[in-house]
């Protein structure tokens, strides 16, 4: 990672909720890998919230590049819906129930997890799909994941990183989501081998609008 | 880096799912034809999901352009999903407008069975008219999600097949398009009305932006 982006990441404090926005054609698997790298460098305990098999999609995408997926299999995972187990699955939550029900199940699990584990980086994959499924209701964030977002915001045991495919989420909902988040990062591929990471929102106002270029080189598929 | 379509096809790994995007004024059947010719040369079994007669539309356009499609009429296997014009060796009819769980089950079972019996792998699966499945369940987001879950994402990574999904993205909602593209290992877009393709997304970053002639 570039030195300045790494310096920026080191300013993240426990209790923060970070939103990572990407478009559907962006290489999600690589962005995820970078986030894992950050968590490991932090010596954090990693917890994956895997909604509707998004973790499986990322793992398969990494496999097509001949990238290592063994570390993924060892990570703690709590599943929301989906049928494919990836990682060390601690609990499965049924998301076909009413949102208030499954939200409270998530909350209960997380409360306990944060009691037993400190310095956690929780990575939430596929929450954007949750918002889509209940779109027949009034599509506010409050209806589904808003409660979760707000409940743990500020909890010093963890940093939460939410991945959002902006194509899947209506603008109004995205705006609410950005409002609750302490930081909003927009990630896009620039050319073929670099990411541009734009800081849309940050704790320090001076960081707003900053852009970092991060090389994708070290995770590149090499031609054999 | 490869310079031809066959070069691109050779690089695809078993388990990948590739979306082919085109618009109503394009000729995606040219790419379809080239892929099936490549599969035939390699002796990979070809399985077609024919949704609402899209296979018939593709074949008719090809015939009118002077292509020899006899092997497509005789040597490919078909899961027929709705529609009324039967072509190819139909191994199963899947009821598109029934309950989504019935439709999904029929599609899954037919595919699994075919893959198990196939003498050579990977099986090349071509889904024609993928947007039509989504439109059939447009007002039921949970049904669409269910289909993603038990068919599209479930088969992703299955090393016994490679799937090409042909679809006109203008016919689905942006959210469904976004969810589909996220899941795909590659997204290619038809250019020059069908004469070229451009790689818009790939898990292999190097090939993004590459154009090849069909």
């Amino acid at each position: 990672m570039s030195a300045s982006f790494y310096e920026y990441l080191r300013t993240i404090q426990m209790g923060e909720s970070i939103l990572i926005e990407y478009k559907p054609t962006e290489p999600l698997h690589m962005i995820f890998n970078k986030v894992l790298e950050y968590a490991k460098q932090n010596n954090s305990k990693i917890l994956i919230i895997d909604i509707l098999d998004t973790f499986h999609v990322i793992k398969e995408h990494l496999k097509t590049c001949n990238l290592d997926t063994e570390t993924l299999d060892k990570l703690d995972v709590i599943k929301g819906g989906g049928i494919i187990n990836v990682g060390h699955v601690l609990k499965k939550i049924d998301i076909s129930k009413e949102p208030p029900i499954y939200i409270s199940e998530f909350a209960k699990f997380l409360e306990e997890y944060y009691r037993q584990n400190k310095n956690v980086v929780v990575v939430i994959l596929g929450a954007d799909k949750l918002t889509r499924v209940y779109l027949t209701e009034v599509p506010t964030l409050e209806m589904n994941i808003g409660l979760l977002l707000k409940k743990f915001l500020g909890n010093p045991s963890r940093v939460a990183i939410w991945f959002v495919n902006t194509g899947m989420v209506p603008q109004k909902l995205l705006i609410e989501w950005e409002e609750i988040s302490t930081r909003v990062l927009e990630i896009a591929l620039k050319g073929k081998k670099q990411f541009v990471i734009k800081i849309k929102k940050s704790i320090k106002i001076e960081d707003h609008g900053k852009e970092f270029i991060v090389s994708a080189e070290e995770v590149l598929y090499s031609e054999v | 880096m490869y310079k031809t379509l066959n070069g691109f096809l050779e690089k695809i790994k078993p388990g990948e799912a590739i979306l082919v995007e085109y618009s109503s004024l394009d000729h995606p059947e040219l790419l379809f034809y080239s892929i099936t010719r490549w599969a035939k040369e390699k002796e990979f079994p070809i399985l077609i999901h024919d949704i609402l007669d899209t296979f018939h539309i593709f074949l008719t356009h090809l015939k009118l352009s002077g292509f020899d499609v006899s092997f497509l009429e005789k040597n490919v296997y078909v899961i027929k999903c709705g529609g009324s014009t039967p072509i190819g060796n139909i191994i199963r009819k899947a009821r598109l407008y029934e309950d989504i769980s019935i439709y999904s089950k029929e599609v899954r079972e037919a595919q699994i069975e075919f893959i198990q019996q196939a003498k050579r792998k990977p099986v090349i699966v071509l889904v024609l008219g993928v947007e039509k499945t989504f439109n059939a369940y447009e007002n039921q987001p949970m049904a669409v999600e269910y289909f993603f879950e038990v068919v599209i994402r479930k088969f992703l990574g299955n090393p016994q097949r490679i799937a090409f999904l042909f679809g006109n993205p203008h016919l689905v909602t942006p959210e469904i398009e976004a969810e589909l593209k996220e899941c795909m290992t590659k997204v290619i877009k038809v250019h020059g009305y069908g004469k070229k393709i451009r790689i818009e997304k790939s898990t292999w970053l190097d090939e993004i932006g590459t154009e090849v002639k069909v």
Side-chain angles (χ1 to χ4, degrees):
Chain A
M1 279 192 280
S2 76
S4 52
F5 182 58
Y6 181 57
E7 285 305 309
Y8 175 74
L9 289 178
R10 277 170 45 140
T11 65
I12 295 175
Q13 300 167 65
M14 298 310 287
E16 287 203 52
S17 281
I18 297 163
L19 191 62
I20 296 187
E21 296 178 352
Y22 63 96
K23 297 204 178 57
T25 50
E26 300 293 335
L28 172 62
H29 57 309
M30 300 232 171
I31 302 170
F32 176 78
N33 254 15
K34 288 287 179 194
V35 168
L36 269 196
E37 207 180 295
Y38 151 75
K40 281 185 219 156
Q41 269 166 355
N42 233 30
N43 286 320
S44 298
K45 177 94 180 143
I46 300 169
L47 171 67
I48 308 283
I49 300 185
D50 175 15
I51 311 283
L52 289 167
D53 296 329
T54 310
F55 199 21
H56 158 73
V57 172
I58 288 176
K59 181 178 175 180
E60 292 305 327
H61 285 202
L62 287 169
K63 274 159 81 174
T64 64
C65 306
N66 290 338
L67 290 169
D68 171 50
T69 54
E70 265 180 41
T71 1
L72 301 189
D73 294 328
K74 301 198 190 101
L75 298 176
D76 280 351
V77 175
I78 168 174
K79 282 187 77 60
I83 51 177
I84 302 159
N85 288 354
V86 177
H88 177 224
V89 179
L90 299 172
K91 189 166 172 81
K92 289 191 194 186
I93 291 182
D94 178 6
I95 55 167
S96 64
K97 301 183 189 161
E98 291 288 310
I101 299 179
Y102 69 71
I103 292 296
S104 74
E105 287 183 33
F106 268 113
K108 234 172 49 190
F109 173 86
L110 288 170
E111 265 164 12
E112 187 53 39
Y113 193 86
Y114 296 147
R115 241 192 301 262
Q116 296 178 8
N117 296 280
K118 301 294 167 191
N119 191 15
V120 178
V121 169
V122 58
V123 182
I124 304 103
L125 304 170
D128 37 29
K129 300 182 180 68
L130 265 185
T131 65
R132 227 180 52 74
V133 168
Y134 290 97
L135 231 46
T136 47
E137 310 277 348
V138 174
T140 64
L141 208 60
E142 199 64 38
M143 280 296 293
N144 27 71
I145 52 180
L147 281 166
L148 257 189
L149 271 170
K150 290 188 283 188
K151 185 175 168 68
F152 293 103
L153 179 68
N155 184 319
S157 300
R158 110 287 183 249
V159 168
I161 300 180
W162 297 77
F163 275 82
V164 174
N165 178 339
T166 52
M168 275 198 241
V169 174
Q171 188 64 4
K172 265 177 73 173
L173 220 139
L174 186 62
I175 289 173
E176 275 187 75
W177 208 331
E178 288 177 343
E179 215 176 84
I180 302 176
S181 305
T182 54
R183 294 179 207 234
V184 179
L185 274 53
E186 187 179 52
I187 306 211
L189 201 57
K190 181 185 166 116
K192 290 182 190 179
K193 301 200 187 160
Q194 290 178 330
F195 292 119
V196 173
I197 302 175
K198 181 159 175 206
I199 313 293
K200 281 172 79 168
K201 177 182 179 183
S202 194
I203 297 270
K204 278 207 296 184
I205 297 178
E206 303 87 77
D207 290 332
H208 284 217
K210 273 196 190 155
E211 283 189 9
F212 297 100
I213 309 271
V214 170
S215 150
E217 232 162 28
E218 63 259 38
V219 289
L220 220 47
Y221 171 95
S222 56
E223 195 142 20
V224 169
Chain B
M1 184 63 66
Y2 46 79
K3 299 248 169 64
T4 62
L5 178 67
N6 274 16
F8 166 71
L9 294 171
E10 293 291 325
K11 275 271 194 277
I12 298 172
K13 289 194 137 105
E16 290 206 49
I18 297 148
L19 179 66
V20 179
E21 271 197 288
Y22 57 92
S23 78
S24 47
L25 304 176
D26 290 328
H27 288 282
E29 69 276 4
L30 297 176
L31 176 65
F32 168 75
Y33 189 70
S34 298
I35 294 173
T36 52
R37 285 280 299 266
W38 170 80
K40 178 168 179 273
E41 269 167 51
K42 295 271 184 190
E43 294 180 0
F44 293 140
I46 298 171
L47 177 64
I48 296 183
H49 281 229
D50 177 11
I51 303 169
L52 290 174
D53 297 325
T54 311
F55 189 22
H56 163 63
I57 296 171
F58 274 35
L59 273 191
T60 307
H61 286 204
L62 285 168
K63 273 196 233 178
L64 291 171
S65 305
F67 289 94
D68 172 20
V69 298
S70 49
F71 80 97
L72 285 173
E73 283 163 332
K74 298 196 206 109
N75 298 68
V76 301
Y77 296 89
V78 176
I79 300 173
K80 190 139 187 68
C81 310
S84 53
T85 315
I87 314 173
N89 301 305
I90 297 177
I91 59 167
R92 185 77 173 246
K93 288 193 181 178
R95 292 168 283 173
L96 179 60
Y97 293 112
E98 280 294 315
D99 188 64
I100 190 67
S101 52
I102 295 177
Y103 175 64
S104 303
K105 186 161 178 272
E106 291 175 344
V107 164
R108 268 182 60 75
E109 279 176 3
Q111 216 182 118
I112 291 172
E113 229 177 84
F114 183 80
I115 289 172
Q116 269 168 3
Q117 292 175 6
K119 298 209 174 71
R120 193 160 147 74
K121 319 260 165 90
V123 169
I124 307 300
V125 178
L126 296 126
V127 183
L128 304 182
V130 70
E131 72 279 5
K132 294 172 182 141
T133 297
F134 294 121
N135 286 342
Y137 293 95
E138 197 175 42
N139 296 322
Q140 304 172 50
M142 292 211 75
V144 169
E145 203 56 52
Y146 180 79
F147 186 77
F148 266 107
E149 197 175 349
V150 306
V151 179
I152 299 182
R153 286 194 285 261
K154 181 76 177 155
F155 277 116
L156 176 69
N158 182 329
Q160 297 182 311
R161 47 87 97 184
I162 293 173
F164 292 90
L165 282 64
F166 280 73
N168 185 335
H170 306 284
L171 293 171
V172 291
T173 63
E175 289 86 17
I176 291 177
E177 187 188 341
E179 184 158 1
L180 188 58
K181 285 187 177 176
E182 179 186 272
C183 173
M184 298 286 111
T185 54
K186 294 186 215 282
V187 176
I188 60 185
K189 200 165 179 188
V190 163
H191 272 264
Y193 296 112
K195 293 201 292 240
K196 294 192 289 193
I197 57 162
R198 186 172 188 275
I199 298 163
E200 302 285 335
K201 174 188 175 177
S202 178
T203 52
W204 179 32
L205 299 188
D206 264 346
E207 75 181 347
I208 296 177
T210 308
E211 279 191 14
V212 289
K213 282 203 210 137
V214 168

